[in-house]
Amino acid sequence: GRQGKGYGTYAVQAVCAELRSYGAEQAYVTWEPREGGPEPFYLKLGFQLTGETIEGEIVGVRELS
């Protein structure tokens, strides 16, 4: 019921800003590949697929610079 209200976007943006403040140049995220999963959400926020998987989860990276 809370999807589509901007909470997730706000949280990801806040984490990325915090990482930037510590000098990080990239943010990484992983998710389980499944129908209806979060992949479109992360891609919309600028994460790109790395082509890697960790324990069956897809890895995405977003440049912070």
Side-chain angles (χ1 to χ4, degrees):
R2 290 184 168 75
Q3 287 186 340
K5 297 188 181 196
Y7 299 127
T9 298
Y10 176 81
V12 170
Q13 301 290 24
V15 169
C16 287
E18 187 73 10
L19 289 170
R20 239 185 259 102
S21 77
Y22 287 109
E25 296 179 3
Q26 297 173 318
Y28 288 85
V29 67
T30 64
W31 63 87
E32 182 181 331
R34 61 182 167 80
E35 188 174 328
E39 185 170 315
F41 169 75
Y42 287 121
L43 296 178
K44 179 180 159 187
L45 291 177
F47 286 89
Q48 296 182 352
L49 303 175
T50 65
E52 301 172 78
T53 59
I54 297 176
E55 296 184 14
E57 293 194 349
I58 294 172
V59 179
V61 64
R62 176 179 165 176
E63 297 297 324
L64 298 176
S65 54

